[in-house]
Every structure is written in C-alpha cells, then in structure tokens.
C-alpha cells in the first residue's frame, strides 16, 4: 500500500466581498492523499508512491487541489480599490499529495526501524539469545496483532470494558479520553471499524529482564456506510509498555502519528471523534454532518444547506453524462475559527487561511481502481466571507464548491499524476467554482470585478496560471476566477457535457493537452487561445 502524504485539497478561498487591503484573504482548500494501501494485501508502489504496510492507507504523493481563499493577502488577493472581496480558494490537491507522502515516509521509517532491529537480533550469538529467552522481556508482533484484534472486536461489540483494557488504568486522563472516544464512535454509522499495526519504533526486547517501552503506530481503518467508497484510515501513535517478563501490555499514551511529509504534522488526525469530547451527528439524505455538540444548532441549520448543495452538484453531474463510481454522500464537519479548521483531520504546519477544505482520504484497499476512498469536508461557519448575517448566497457557494471537489476526488488515478504537482489548479478549482456558480453568468461571481480590473490594467500575460504561480501574492482570487472562466468558456463553446468529460479525463490520468485533444478535438494551446479572447471580452 502507499503511504499518505497529507496535502490540503479541495478547499476554497473566499473572494473579496468588501473593500480589502490585501491582508485578509480566506480560502477554501481541497486536499486528499494519494495512495492505495491494502488491508493485509499491500499494493506495490507506483511511480513516486511508496508502499505501506498491510491494512494501512497508501500515501498520497501528489498535490491535491481545491481550496477557497478568504480575502486579499492570501494568494489571489491583494490591495485593490474598494470592491467586494473575493471568496476563499481551495487547495485540495496539496492535501492529497501531502497526505500520501506522509503515510509513505512514515511507514518507510517504521519499516526501517523494524528491519534494523531484526538484523541486529539475527546477528546475536546463541548464548545471549538463550539468556534473553530465559530472562528477557519481549513483545512479539503476534501479541500486538492480538491486542489490536481484541480492541477492534470490543468496538464492534460496543464493549467499553474490553475497549479500555489496553490502556493503563493509572492514567486517568488517558482512560477518560478513550472513554469519550468510544462513546463518540458509537454515534457514527461505521460499516468498518478496526485497528491495524502500521509500524513501531523502540526496543521490544530486553535480554536483562528490564521493562520495555516503544511507540506503536496504529491505523484506525474505518468506512462510513453510504459515504466512503472504500475503507480509509487515521493514524495514531501509542506508547506501549511491558514492565516485566510476562506482564500484560499497557498503553500509556495516545496521540496522532507524525506525518513524514506534507503540510500536516499528523496523518488524518484528529478526527472529530478525537477532537471533541461530545460530538453531534446530523444526517440528511446525502450528508453526514459531524460537529462539536456546542455547534448542534449550526449543524441542524446548515445540514439543509449542504444537502441542497449536494443535490445541485449531483444534478450537474448527471447532466454531464459521465459514468463513474462517485460517492453517494459526503461527510462534513463545521467549525468556528481557523484554529479548529486547521486542526481537524490534520494539524496544519502553516497558517490556516481558507474558509473550507475537502480532504481526500487514501484507500486502505484499492477497489475498482479507487485511490481516494472518501473525503472529509470541513467548513468554517465563523468565516464572514461566506457566513455573514443574512447572506444566503455564501453558504450555498462554499458547500457547492467543497462538495464539487469531493465529488470527483475518487476519479483521480494517483499512479498517473505528477507526485509533486498533481492536476492543474485551474482545472481543479475552476471546476469547483463552476459548480459553485452553476446557473449564473460569470459576471455574477464576486471575483469578477477584481479580475476585470487586473485584465484591463494590462497586468496579465493571457496564459493559464501554473500551479507554481497559483499562490502568488495578490493573485489567488484572480487565478480562481481564471479557472472559473476557463470552465465557463469550455461549457459555453463546447457544451457542458464536454466540460465534465474533460475534467474526468484529466483526473483519470490524461494530461491537460491529451484531455483537450480527446474531448474537444483541439490541442490545449488552441483552447487557451480562445479562452484568452473570452477573458479579455469579459473584461470590457
């Protein structure tokens, strides 16, 4: 399987709605790791994707697209004359790549440690081995597997006593936290919920009879019934202790497993069930909204908005005529504030500026070619770029945008994407923006006024923005608009079905030029030439 590199993907930065000074841009981010680990049947690494241990998610090694910016100051926003601020941007691709890479490196690191220990032990003389067998303290892999099997069974049986059995009863805070986790997990529609070993670090054997303490990375393999296409995984790091020969194993600490790569410090940790002592779960026909119990009122209010956004995006997808395995529903969490937005399903290393994010979850079992088994949408309902009092347009847009990222995430073939760059953001974000504003003219976008100003000023070279330049200061919102304009032009000139076919082809591994040739019948350069003229006409 592949290790997940956690990258932010599928989010959105808000376009300026009010006059801004370039210092307050919000964005929506789209992110999903790429890899396809196997639960017991690891897949060989392909291209830049390393393989992960059985039962663990592969590492997404490419940059996930999809995020929304929140105002000038972030890429895409800059000091502009008093105009409505653009909405946030999405960074889905970044999340994906990071997630995959993280998992990969983490697994590789753990494997290296295990191999080193094994080789060292094989090199020992027979006498010390005999002494260790007689007097030593040892923890075997079979013991760890059995421990996690019992832990998995306890969760499935809803047996709290058995679930808490591995945790040191003297660590009251740890036991209390695991009790809350058990209760939270019991509120969720888990079709799959099991624990597997990822890797371990530290001594598991002491020949002199002293106790051993080591770190065990554990994946929580889970699948939400009706939402995830395949099982996905969150990674924990357990500190495991055996004090004397024959003593029971004790877990004395639990945290998130550190990510080796990407902009998250952890691998899909913490989930809402870890982060909040009491979660509230709100379900609609196609959404599973999980929030802190303190946001139950917001969950009830915005679950209806999210459901309507899903219905809109599903209708667009059906009209697009593409046949593909897509999710039947989406898992959404609502937060208030950037601190919570940047610490759910990730621990952001960078400043969190987006207003929403779609994080792709790497499949632990690659089924029917699906690399991304599901996604987790997180939206900051405290962000005034989309959730100002009385604003009904903003919430609809951000949910449509993030759902749009999650809708096509499972189409992405990680093996055929560039490990470092991924799909072009003008396609990823442009498609999500198109869905956010579908049914409206391009001029209705809050980003249009700013974009027209830049085009009229002559400060634009007429080309599609590259991923390298995407976050250029003062340009993020403009780049979102250019992607939106590209998708709108494609739909108007060639038909909306061609738009969906083009995006699908790119996600499935065709280059942008190949997708243009296959779907539109022209090279990408010719499409870009027509699009440039279209953009300049929009700016008149």
């Amino acid at each position: 399987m592949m290790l997940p590199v956690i990258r932010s993907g599928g989010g959105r930065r808000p376009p300026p709605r009010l006059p801004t000074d370039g210092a307050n841009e919000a964005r929506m981010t789209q992110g999903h790791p790429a890899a396809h680990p196997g639960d017991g049947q690891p897949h060989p690494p392909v291209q830049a994707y390393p393989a992960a241990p059985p039962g663990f998610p592969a590492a997404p090694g490419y940059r996930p697209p999809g995020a929304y910016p929140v105002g000038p100051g972030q890429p895409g926003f800059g000091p502009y004359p008093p105009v409505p601020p653009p909405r946030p941007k999405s960074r889905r691709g970044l999340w994906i790549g990071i997630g995959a890479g993280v998992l990969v490196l983490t697994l590789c690191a753990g494997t290296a440690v295990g191999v080193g220990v094994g080789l060292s032990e094989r090199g020992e003389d027979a006498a010390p081995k005999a002494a260790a067998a007689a007097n030593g303290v040892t923890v075997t892999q079979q013991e760890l597997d059995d421990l996690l099997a019992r832990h998995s069974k306890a969760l499935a049986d809803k047996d709290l006593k058995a679930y808490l059995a591995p945790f040191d009863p003297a660590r009251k805070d740890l036991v209390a936290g695991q009790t809350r986790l058990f209760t939270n997990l019991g509120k969720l529609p888990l079709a799959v919920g099991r624990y597997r070993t990822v890797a371990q670090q530290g001594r598991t054997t002491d020949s002199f009879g002293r106790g051993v303490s080591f770190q065990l990375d554990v994946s929580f393999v889970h699948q939400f019934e009706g939402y995830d296409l395949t099982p996905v995984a969150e990674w924990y790091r357990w500190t495991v202790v055996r004090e004397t020969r024959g003593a029971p194993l004790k877990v004395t600490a639990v945290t998130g497993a550190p990510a080796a790569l990407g902009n998250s410090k952890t691998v899909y940790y913490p989930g809402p069930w870890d982060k909040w002592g009491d979660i509230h779960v709100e379900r609609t026909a196609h959404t599973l909204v999980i929030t802190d119990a303190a946001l139950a009122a917001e969950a009830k209010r915005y679950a209806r908005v999210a459901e309507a956004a899903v219905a809109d995006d599903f209708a667009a997808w059906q009209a697009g005529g593409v046949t593909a395995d897509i999710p039947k529903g989406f898992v959404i969490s609502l937060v208030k504030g950037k601190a919570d937005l940047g610490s759910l399903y990730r621990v952001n290393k960078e400043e969190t500026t987006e207003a929403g994010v779609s994080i792709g979850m790497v499949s632990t079992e690659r089924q029917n070619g699906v690399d991304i088994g599901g996604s987790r949408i997180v939206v900051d309902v405290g962000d005034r770029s989309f959730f100002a009092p009385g604003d009904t347009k903003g919430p609809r847009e951000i949910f449509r945008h993030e759902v749009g990222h999650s809708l096509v995430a499972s189409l992405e073939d990680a093996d055929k994407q560039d490990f470092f760059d991924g799909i072009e953001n003008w396609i990823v974000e442009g498609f999500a923006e198109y869905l956010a504003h579908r049914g409206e003219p391009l001029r209705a976008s809050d980003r249009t006024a700013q974009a027209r100003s830049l085009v009229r000023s002559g400060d634009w070279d007429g080309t599609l923005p590259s991923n390298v330049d995407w976050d250029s200061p003062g340009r993020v919102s403009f780049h979102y608009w250019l992607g939106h304009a590209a998708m709108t032009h494609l739909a108007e000139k060639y038909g909306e079905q061609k738009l969906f076919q083009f995006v699908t082809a790119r996600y499935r591994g065709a280059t942008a030029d190949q997708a243009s040739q296959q779907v539109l019948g022209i090279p990408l350069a010719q499409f870009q030439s027509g699009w440039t003229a279209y953009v300049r006409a929009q700016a008149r």
Side-chain angles (χ1 to χ4, degrees):
M1 107 183 160
M2 296 177 161
L3 300 179
V5 173
I6 307 291
R7 297 188 188 176
S8 158
R12 192 187 189 206
R13 296 184 188 176
R17 283 183 171 279
L18 302 171
T20 72
D21 59 2
N24 177 26
E25 173 184 0
R27 27 175 193 177
M28 286 201 291
T29 308
Q30 164 187 6
H32 57 273
H36 34 78
D39 186 10
Q41 296 297 325
H43 295 273
V46 181
Q47 291 185 344
Y49 298 84
F56 299 89
Y62 52 93
R63 179 174 187 264
Y68 249 169
V70 185
Q74 294 301 326
F77 294 96
Y80 297 103
V83 292
R87 295 182 180 278
K89 103 171 181 182
S90 170
R91 308 180 71 180
R92 152 193 165 286
L94 176 60
W95 258 107
I96 296 178
I98 295 174
V102 170
L103 286 186
V104 176
L105 295 189
T106 302
L107 291 186
C108 292
T111 302
V113 171
V115 170
V117 171
L119 292 175
S120 173
E121 290 176 351
R122 285 196 290 273
E124 291 177 347
D125 295 331
K129 283 185 178 179
N135 306 310
V137 176
T138 298
V139 178
T140 68
Q141 184 61 51
Q142 187 61 56
E143 287 182 293
L144 296 175
D145 290 344
D146 291 345
L147 173 68
L148 294 178
R150 292 192 299 271
H151 200 52
S152 302
K153 184 176 186 301
L155 179 62
D157 293 345
K158 300 186 183 302
D159 185 341
L160 175 60
K161 182 178 179 180
Y163 188 83
L164 296 177
F167 305 104
D168 185 351
R171 313 275 176 152
K172 302 300 183 184
D173 289 347
L174 173 62
V175 172
Q178 292 300 309
T179 301
R180 290 192 294 269
L181 172 59
F182 178 85
T183 301
N184 282 339
L185 292 176
K187 299 177 181 180
L188 299 169
L190 289 172
V192 173
R194 57 176 176 262
Y195 296 87
R196 295 286 184 271
T197 298
V198 180
Q200 64 189 49
Q201 298 181 28
R203 288 185 311 114
T204 57
T205 296
D206 187 276
S207 301
F208 301 99
R210 297 170 299 190
V212 295
S213 176
F214 59 95
Q215 293 178 317
L216 179 70
D217 287 352
V218 173
S219 74
F220 173 44
V221 179
H222 58 284
Q223 181 176 11
F224 288 125
E225 186 173 11
Y227 301 95
D228 295 330
L229 295 176
T230 70
V232 298
E234 168 191 17
W235 288 19
Y236 294 101
R237 172 159 286 185
W238 287 7
T239 300
V240 182
V241 171
R242 170 163 278 165
E243 296 173 343
T244 60
R245 178 180 173 81
L249 295 176
K250 292 181 183 178
V251 178
T252 60
V254 175
T255 186
L261 293 178
N263 59 7
S264 173
K265 296 178 182 178
T266 56
V267 183
Y268 301 126
Y269 172 93
W273 40 88
D274 307 295
K275 183 175 180 64
W276 297 313
D278 183 18
I279 61 171
H280 175 81
V281 179
E282 197 73 30
R283 296 188 69 170
T284 67
H286 303 97
T287 71
L288 177 68
V289 180
I290 310 171
T291 68
D292 187 343
L295 292 180
E298 284 82 353
K300 293 177 184 295
R301 180 187 317 142
Y302 291 117
R304 296 191 294 271
V305 180
E307 176 63 30
V310 172
D312 290 343
D313 283 0
F314 275 168
W317 179 260
Q318 290 166 3
V322 175
T323 301
D325 193 9
I326 61 170
K328 303 299 186 293
F330 303 93
V331 180
I332 301 172
S333 285
L334 308 178
V335 299
K336 276 192 175 180
K338 299 297 177 271
D340 278 350
L341 182 62
S343 58
L344 192 59
Y345 300 114
R346 57 178 175 167
V347 175
N348 221 348
K349 294 178 181 177
E350 304 172 351
E351 179 185 4
T352 303
T353 55
E354 60 263 26
V357 61
S358 170
I359 299 173
M361 304 288 289
V362 176
S363 299
T364 61
E365 305 168 6
R366 195 181 195 191
Q367 300 170 3
N368 301 319
V370 174
D371 287 317
I372 302 302
S375 62
R376 304 291 180 258
I377 295 171
V378 187
V379 173
D380 178 9
V381 296
D383 192 310
R384 292 305 182 91
S385 298
F386 294 97
F387 296 93
D391 182 0
T392 57
K393 179 183 178 183
R396 180 194 68 184
E397 284 184 18
I398 193 168
F399 282 116
R400 275 186 175 186
H401 181 106
E402 298 303 346
V403 168
H405 283 306
S406 294
L407 182 72
V408 295
S410 59
L411 302 180
E412 189 162 0
D413 188 333
D415 297 340
K416 295 179 181 178
Q417 304 298 343
D418 183 275
F419 184 88
F420 296 101
D421 205 26
I423 302 171
E424 294 80 1
N425 282 342
W426 67 266
I427 296 176
V428 172
E429 299 302 342
F431 177 69
E433 284 286 83
Y434 177 84
L435 289 182
H437 296 274
R438 185 172 181 261
E440 303 171 352
L442 182 62
R443 65 178 177 275
S445 168
D446 292 334
R447 304 183 194 275
T448 298
Q450 180 194 63
R452 282 175 171 169
S453 177
L454 280 170
V455 174
R456 289 170 181 167
S457 72
D459 188 19
W460 176 56
D461 62 5
T463 62
L464 291 163
S466 70
N467 284 7
V468 171
D469 296 330
W470 188 263
D471 286 339
S472 299
R475 291 294 179 122
V476 174
S477 184
F478 179 51
H479 290 162
Y480 268 80
W481 185 85
L482 290 177
H484 184 185
M487 296 297 110
T488 302
H489 170 60
L490 195 163
E492 290 179 359
K493 183 173 178 62
Y494 301 94
E496 190 175 62
Q497 289 198 343
K498 293 294 186 181
L499 162 63
F500 281 87
Q501 291 169 17
F502 173 84
V503 171
T504 299
R506 182 66 186 95
Y507 269 77
R508 286 176 166 170
T511 65
D513 185 61
Q514 290 169 343
S516 183
Q517 297 270 14
Q518 295 168 11
V519 177
L520 308 180
I522 58 172
L524 184 65
Q526 185 175 335
F527 167 78
Q528 177 171 296
S529 177
W531 163 79
T532 301
Y534 176 81
V535 169
R536 296 195 186 283
Q538 293 293 315
R540 292 192 189 117

